[in-house]
Amino acid sequence: MSETTSTAGHSAGTSAGPSAGPSADSSTTPAGPGPAERAAADLDATIAGIEHRLAAWAADAGAALAAMSGKVTGTAVDKLIRPVVEELVQLPGGYAAGAGFIANAGLLGPERSYIAWWQGPDLEHVDALANFSPNSISRYVKAEWFRIPVETGQAHVTGPYVDFLCTDEYVLTFTHPVFTRPDAPVAGIVGIDVTVQRLERGAMPALRRIGGRATLANADGRAVVSAAPDIDAGDLISPDEPCAHYPVGRTFTVWSNAAGL
């Protein structure tokens, strides 16, 4: 990926005093953000909003788990997690297609994990039977969206990828580690599934304001959503000069002029 240039906004300058002379003239005042910069800022607000909501949820879940007296149970986890999922997936105009929590081994007992994940407006419980089968739960704990936050202790975004476990659609899975104490091992992860289709509905107007081939790309240079009709989710892309780059959220970039590889 070529060098990224942030053009989503400008810092306000220090007010000049009487001795500033000609530099205080309005004709030299830097221009404010243009239409493309404002559109990129809108996309950044959308993605950052998902990331911030997830981080706050992880902090709240960690504090609640730490406050539980006695052994943490699956029933207690469900009661803690389900109301938040309901709020996320039923939010009008929201982006969450599903969400939940997966416990790391040790939280509910030695060598045991636990999944509390629901999807859709009807809150379908995803693969609850996996909680009774160590062999079944292993496909979750080995998945990128679980493994990387647990290994690094950092938030992560997986995708776009086809989610055969839940939605059977192209999705981005935003996940965040949960800690019961700052010095404790990762207790589990909270996550939000965002379908590319939902994100496209919200992002396309902003992308078109940036350019006819503007594309939201992940950190690996794969398209998530594109205004170009020949670029699909998951396609590898490259910048086609001239091309401006706008950082979005923690790891995404909008390329103003993208080409498929």
Side-chain angles (χ1 to χ4, degrees), residues 71-80 108 112 114-116 131:
K71 183 179 177 181
V72 177
T73 66
T75 299
V77 170
D78 286 352
K79 288 182 178 179
L80 173 64
L108 277 74
R112 185 187 175 195
Y114 188 82
I115 179 170
N131 293 324

Side-chain angles (χ1 to χ4, degrees), residues 181-254:
R181 300 188 318 273
D183 59 342
V186 176
I189 62 99
V190 287
I192 299 174
D193 284 332
V194 176
T195 66
V196 168
Q197 184 179 34
R198 288 192 184 198
L199 187 60
E200 184 178 52
R201 287 200 298 266
M204 193 60 73
L207 288 174
R208 287 174 175 156
R209 282 154 53 199
I210 295 171
R213 299 194 64 81
T215 302
L216 177 67
N218 69 7
D220 296 325
R222 290 191 180 275
V224 179
V225 179
S226 180
D230 59 323
I231 295 178
D232 297 320
D235 287 353
L236 278 171
I237 59 173
S238 65
D240 193 5
E241 300 301 335
C243 183
H245 295 180
Y246 307 94
V248 171
R250 295 177 58 256
T251 61
F252 296 96
T253 303
V254 170

Side-chain angles (χ1 to χ4, degrees), residues 1-8 40 238-241 243-247 253-257:
M1 185 181 296
S2 58
E3 183 177 353
T4 299
T5 302
S6 175
T7 54
S238 65
D240 193 5
E241 300 301 335
C243 183
H245 295 180
Y246 307 94
T253 303
V254 170
W255 298 359
S256 67
N257 189 23

